[in-house]
Short mmCIF file of all heavy atoms in Angstrom, two decimals:
data_model
loop_
_atom_site.label_atom_id
_atom_site.label_comp_id
_atom_site.label_asym_id
_atom_site.label_seq_id
_atom_site.Cartn_x
_atom_site.Cartn_y
_atom_site.Cartn_z
N PHE A 1 0.83 -1.22 -0.05
CA PHE A 1 -0.01 -0.04 0.00
C PHE A 1 0.90 1.24 0.01
O PHE A 1 1.89 1.36 0.72
CB PHE A 1 -0.94 -0.01 1.20
CG PHE A 1 -1.90 -1.15 1.15
CD1 PHE A 1 -1.55 -2.33 1.80
CD2 PHE A 1 -3.14 -1.03 0.59
CE1 PHE A 1 -2.48 -3.44 1.72
CE2 PHE A 1 -4.02 -2.02 0.54
CZ PHE A 1 -3.71 -3.26 1.09
N GLY A 2 0.48 2.19 -0.85
CA GLY A 2 1.32 3.35 -1.01
C GLY A 2 1.35 4.34 0.21
O GLY A 2 2.33 5.06 0.31
N ARG A 3 0.30 4.36 1.01
CA ARG A 3 0.20 5.33 2.08
C ARG A 3 -0.14 4.61 3.42
O ARG A 3 -0.57 3.48 3.37
CB ARG A 3 -0.84 6.34 1.73
CG ARG A 3 -0.46 7.19 0.60
CD ARG A 3 -1.58 8.12 0.17
NE ARG A 3 -2.09 8.86 1.36
CZ ARG A 3 -1.81 10.10 1.64
NH1 ARG A 3 -1.10 10.84 0.76
NH2 ARG A 3 -2.30 10.77 2.67
N VAL A 4 0.01 5.24 4.49
CA VAL A 4 -0.25 4.74 5.84
C VAL A 4 -1.72 4.48 6.02
O VAL A 4 -2.17 3.42 6.59
CB VAL A 4 0.32 5.71 6.89
CG1 VAL A 4 -0.13 5.22 8.33
CG2 VAL A 4 1.78 5.69 6.83
N GLU A 5 -2.57 5.36 5.56
CA GLU A 5 -4.03 5.35 5.75
C GLU A 5 -4.60 4.06 5.15
O GLU A 5 -5.38 3.30 5.86
CB GLU A 5 -4.77 6.55 5.13
CG GLU A 5 -4.35 7.87 5.85
CD GLU A 5 -3.14 8.53 5.26
OE1 GLU A 5 -2.51 7.91 4.33
OE2 GLU A 5 -2.86 9.64 5.70
N PRO A 6 -4.37 3.68 3.88
CA PRO A 6 -4.87 2.42 3.38
C PRO A 6 -4.39 1.23 4.15
O PRO A 6 -5.06 0.23 4.28
CB PRO A 6 -4.41 2.40 1.92
CG PRO A 6 -4.08 3.81 1.61
CD PRO A 6 -3.66 4.48 2.89
N ARG A 7 -3.11 1.30 4.62
CA ARG A 7 -2.62 0.15 5.46
C ARG A 7 -3.49 -0.08 6.67
O ARG A 7 -3.84 -1.23 7.03
CB ARG A 7 -1.18 0.38 5.87
CG ARG A 7 -0.20 0.04 4.84
CD ARG A 7 1.19 0.19 5.40
NE ARG A 7 2.00 0.86 4.22
CZ ARG A 7 2.89 1.74 4.41
NH1 ARG A 7 3.25 2.15 5.57
NH2 ARG A 7 3.54 2.22 3.36
N ALA A 8 -3.83 1.01 7.38
CA ALA A 8 -4.65 0.88 8.59
C ALA A 8 -6.05 0.38 8.24
O ALA A 8 -6.64 -0.43 8.90
CB ALA A 8 -4.65 2.19 9.34
N THR A 9 -6.56 0.92 7.19
CA THR A 9 -7.94 0.51 6.77
C THR A 9 -7.93 -0.90 6.29
O THR A 9 -8.87 -1.61 6.51
CB THR A 9 -8.43 1.46 5.65
OG1 THR A 9 -8.40 2.81 6.14
CG2 THR A 9 -9.82 1.15 5.25
N ASP A 10 -6.86 -1.37 5.63
CA ASP A 10 -6.84 -2.71 5.14
C ASP A 10 -6.81 -3.70 6.37
O ASP A 10 -7.51 -4.71 6.35
CB ASP A 10 -5.57 -2.97 4.30
CG ASP A 10 -5.47 -4.44 3.82
OD1 ASP A 10 -6.41 -4.87 3.16
OD2 ASP A 10 -4.49 -5.08 4.22
N ARG A 11 -6.17 -3.37 7.36
CA ARG A 11 -6.22 -4.15 8.64
C ARG A 11 -7.64 -4.28 9.16
O ARG A 11 -8.15 -5.34 9.43
CB ARG A 11 -5.29 -3.56 9.66
CG ARG A 11 -5.27 -4.38 10.96
CD ARG A 11 -4.30 -3.77 12.01
NE ARG A 11 -2.97 -3.78 11.53
CZ ARG A 11 -2.07 -4.78 11.69
NH1 ARG A 11 -2.48 -5.83 12.33
NH2 ARG A 11 -0.89 -4.70 11.20
N THR A 12 -8.33 -3.15 9.20
CA THR A 12 -9.71 -3.09 9.58
C THR A 12 -10.56 -3.88 8.68
O THR A 12 -11.43 -4.70 9.12
CB THR A 12 -10.26 -1.69 9.65
OG1 THR A 12 -9.43 -0.90 10.58
CG2 THR A 12 -11.70 -1.60 10.08
N TYR A 13 -10.41 -3.74 7.35
CA TYR A 13 -11.17 -4.50 6.38
C TYR A 13 -10.95 -6.02 6.49
O TYR A 13 -11.93 -6.81 6.46
CB TYR A 13 -10.82 -3.97 5.01
CG TYR A 13 -11.57 -4.60 3.82
CD1 TYR A 13 -12.97 -4.47 3.72
CD2 TYR A 13 -10.96 -5.30 2.87
CE1 TYR A 13 -13.70 -5.03 2.69
CE2 TYR A 13 -11.67 -5.88 1.84
CZ TYR A 13 -12.95 -5.74 1.69
OH TYR A 13 -13.69 -6.28 0.74
N LEU A 14 -9.71 -6.40 6.59
CA LEU A 14 -9.35 -7.86 6.66
C LEU A 14 -9.96 -8.44 7.98
O LEU A 14 -10.54 -9.55 7.89
CB LEU A 14 -7.84 -8.05 6.69
CG LEU A 14 -7.35 -9.44 6.80
CD1 LEU A 14 -7.83 -10.23 5.60
CD2 LEU A 14 -5.80 -9.47 6.85
N ARG A 15 -9.86 -7.70 9.10
CA ARG A 15 -10.39 -8.23 10.29
C ARG A 15 -11.94 -8.39 10.22
O ARG A 15 -12.53 -9.37 10.76
CB ARG A 15 -10.09 -7.38 11.52
CG ARG A 15 -8.68 -7.60 11.96
CD ARG A 15 -8.40 -6.82 13.18
NE ARG A 15 -7.02 -7.08 13.64
CZ ARG A 15 -6.31 -6.19 14.35
NH1 ARG A 15 -6.74 -5.06 14.70
NH2 ARG A 15 -5.12 -6.57 14.67
N GLY A 16 -12.59 -7.39 9.52
CA GLY A 16 -14.03 -7.52 9.27
C GLY A 16 -14.36 -8.69 8.46
O GLY A 16 -15.37 -9.32 8.66
N LEU A 17 -13.67 -8.92 7.43
CA LEU A 17 -13.91 -10.02 6.54
C LEU A 17 -13.85 -11.38 7.18
O LEU A 17 -14.54 -12.30 6.97
CB LEU A 17 -13.07 -9.99 5.36
CG LEU A 17 -13.35 -8.88 4.30
CD1 LEU A 17 -12.29 -9.01 3.12
CD2 LEU A 17 -14.71 -8.96 3.70
N LEU A 18 -12.85 -11.42 8.16
CA LEU A 18 -12.65 -12.71 8.91
C LEU A 18 -13.56 -12.81 10.13
O LEU A 18 -13.52 -13.86 10.82
CB LEU A 18 -11.14 -12.80 9.28
CG LEU A 18 -10.23 -12.90 8.08
CD1 LEU A 18 -8.75 -12.91 8.67
CD2 LEU A 18 -10.44 -14.20 7.27
N SER A 19 -14.33 -11.75 10.46
CA SER A 19 -15.12 -11.74 11.66
C SER A 19 -16.44 -12.56 11.39
O SER A 19 -16.70 -13.03 10.32
CB SER A 19 -15.51 -10.29 12.00
OG SER A 19 -16.46 -9.75 11.15
N SER A 20 -17.24 -12.56 12.43
CA SER A 20 -18.54 -13.27 12.40
C SER A 20 -19.71 -12.32 11.94
O SER A 20 -20.85 -12.73 12.04
CB SER A 20 -18.86 -13.94 13.69
OG SER A 20 -19.00 -12.95 14.69
N VAL A 21 -19.37 -11.15 11.48
CA VAL A 21 -20.40 -10.22 11.05
C VAL A 21 -21.17 -10.98 9.90
O VAL A 21 -20.58 -11.48 9.04
CB VAL A 21 -19.78 -8.91 10.49
CG1 VAL A 21 -20.81 -8.03 9.88
CG2 VAL A 21 -19.11 -8.19 11.60
N GLU A 22 -22.54 -10.88 10.04
CA GLU A 22 -23.30 -11.64 9.12
C GLU A 22 -23.20 -11.04 7.69
O GLU A 22 -23.01 -11.78 6.71
CB GLU A 22 -24.77 -11.58 9.51
CG GLU A 22 -25.70 -12.48 8.67
CD GLU A 22 -27.11 -12.52 9.16
OE1 GLU A 22 -27.30 -12.54 10.38
OE2 GLU A 22 -28.04 -12.50 8.40
N ARG A 23 -23.35 -9.77 7.52
CA ARG A 23 -23.29 -9.14 6.21
C ARG A 23 -21.96 -8.48 6.13
O ARG A 23 -21.67 -7.65 6.89
CB ARG A 23 -24.44 -8.26 5.98
CG ARG A 23 -25.78 -9.01 5.93
CD ARG A 23 -26.88 -8.02 5.77
NE ARG A 23 -28.15 -8.80 5.75
CZ ARG A 23 -29.17 -8.63 4.95
NH1 ARG A 23 -29.02 -7.74 3.97
NH2 ARG A 23 -30.21 -9.32 5.05
N LYS A 24 -21.28 -8.64 4.98
CA LYS A 24 -19.96 -8.07 4.83
C LYS A 24 -20.03 -6.82 3.86
O LYS A 24 -19.36 -6.86 2.82
CB LYS A 24 -19.02 -9.09 4.31
CG LYS A 24 -18.96 -10.37 5.09
CD LYS A 24 -18.22 -10.29 6.35
CE LYS A 24 -17.75 -11.55 6.82
NZ LYS A 24 -18.05 -12.05 8.06
N ASN A 25 -20.77 -5.83 4.27
CA ASN A 25 -20.77 -4.63 3.44
C ASN A 25 -20.04 -3.53 4.16
O ASN A 25 -19.63 -3.68 5.34
CB ASN A 25 -22.26 -4.25 3.07
CG ASN A 25 -23.09 -3.87 4.32
OD1 ASN A 25 -22.64 -3.22 5.21
ND2 ASN A 25 -24.30 -4.34 4.30
N GLY A 26 -19.86 -2.39 3.52
CA GLY A 26 -19.01 -1.31 4.08
C GLY A 26 -19.59 -0.80 5.43
O GLY A 26 -18.82 -0.63 6.35
N TRP A 27 -20.88 -0.63 5.53
CA TRP A 27 -21.46 -0.16 6.81
C TRP A 27 -21.24 -1.22 7.95
O TRP A 27 -20.86 -0.78 9.06
CB TRP A 27 -22.95 0.12 6.62
CG TRP A 27 -23.27 1.43 5.99
CD1 TRP A 27 -23.54 1.65 4.64
CD2 TRP A 27 -23.13 2.76 6.57
NE1 TRP A 27 -23.70 3.01 4.41
CE2 TRP A 27 -23.40 3.75 5.55
CE3 TRP A 27 -22.75 3.20 7.82
CZ2 TRP A 27 -23.42 5.06 5.82
CZ3 TRP A 27 -22.84 4.54 8.07
CH2 TRP A 27 -23.15 5.52 7.05
N GLN A 28 -21.57 -2.45 7.67
CA GLN A 28 -21.39 -3.48 8.68
C GLN A 28 -20.00 -3.54 9.19
O GLN A 28 -19.76 -3.71 10.33
CB GLN A 28 -21.94 -4.79 8.13
CG GLN A 28 -23.40 -4.75 7.76
CD GLN A 28 -24.33 -4.74 8.99
OE1 GLN A 28 -23.96 -5.18 10.09
NE2 GLN A 28 -25.52 -4.29 8.77
N LEU A 29 -19.04 -3.58 8.19
CA LEU A 29 -17.66 -3.71 8.63
C LEU A 29 -17.19 -2.55 9.35
O LEU A 29 -16.34 -2.69 10.32
CB LEU A 29 -16.82 -4.00 7.32
CG LEU A 29 -17.10 -5.25 6.58
CD1 LEU A 29 -16.15 -5.39 5.38
CD2 LEU A 29 -16.88 -6.52 7.44
N ALA A 30 -17.61 -1.33 8.98
CA ALA A 30 -17.24 -0.10 9.78
C ALA A 30 -17.77 -0.19 11.19
O ALA A 30 -17.05 0.18 12.11
CB ALA A 30 -17.77 1.11 9.01
N GLU A 31 -19.06 -0.50 11.27
CA GLU A 31 -19.62 -0.66 12.64
C GLU A 31 -18.94 -1.66 13.47
O GLU A 31 -18.70 -1.44 14.60
CB GLU A 31 -21.09 -1.00 12.51
CG GLU A 31 -21.93 0.17 12.05
CD GLU A 31 -23.45 -0.21 11.91
OE1 GLU A 31 -23.79 -1.39 12.21
OE2 GLU A 31 -24.18 0.65 11.42
N GLN A 32 -18.58 -2.81 12.86
CA GLN A 32 -17.83 -3.89 13.56
C GLN A 32 -16.47 -3.37 14.10
O GLN A 32 -15.96 -3.73 15.17
CB GLN A 32 -17.64 -5.04 12.72
CG GLN A 32 -17.12 -6.31 13.36
CD GLN A 32 -15.63 -6.45 13.23
OE1 GLN A 32 -14.99 -5.79 12.41
NE2 GLN A 32 -15.04 -7.23 14.08
N ALA A 33 -15.83 -2.48 13.36
CA ALA A 33 -14.54 -1.88 13.67
C ALA A 33 -14.68 -0.73 14.65
O ALA A 33 -13.70 -0.18 15.00
CB ALA A 33 -13.83 -1.46 12.43
N GLY A 34 -15.94 -0.33 15.00
CA GLY A 34 -16.13 0.80 15.89
C GLY A 34 -16.06 2.10 15.21
O GLY A 34 -15.87 3.14 15.77
N ARG A 35 -16.19 2.13 13.90
CA ARG A 35 -16.20 3.42 13.12
C ARG A 35 -17.65 3.89 12.88
O ARG A 35 -18.64 3.14 12.85
CB ARG A 35 -15.48 3.27 11.81
CG ARG A 35 -14.08 2.92 12.03
CD ARG A 35 -13.24 2.97 10.79
NE ARG A 35 -11.78 2.77 11.11
CZ ARG A 35 -10.94 2.77 10.20
NH1 ARG A 35 -11.17 3.06 8.99
NH2 ARG A 35 -9.70 2.46 10.54
#
């Protein structure tokens, strides 16, 4: 990743995809990450 921000977001995105969140859309993954 070219910048620090996408690196941090990628970690959040990856954790969300691997989580037990039922629906894997942007809103659900953001809420799961506390955003």
Side-chain angles (χ1 to χ4, degrees):
F1 295 89
R3 297 175 48 105
V4 174
E5 297 86 355
R7 278 184 220 142
T9 303
D10 180 57
R11 180 179 296 273
T12 299
Y13 182 63
L14 180 62
R15 284 187 177 152
L17 290 177
L18 296 174
S19 75
S20 62
V21 172
E22 184 175 323
R23 295 178 183 226
K24 309 284 199 237
N25 62 42
W27 280 102
Q28 298 288 336
L29 296 179
E31 287 177 3
Q32 187 267 343
R35 297 192 178 182

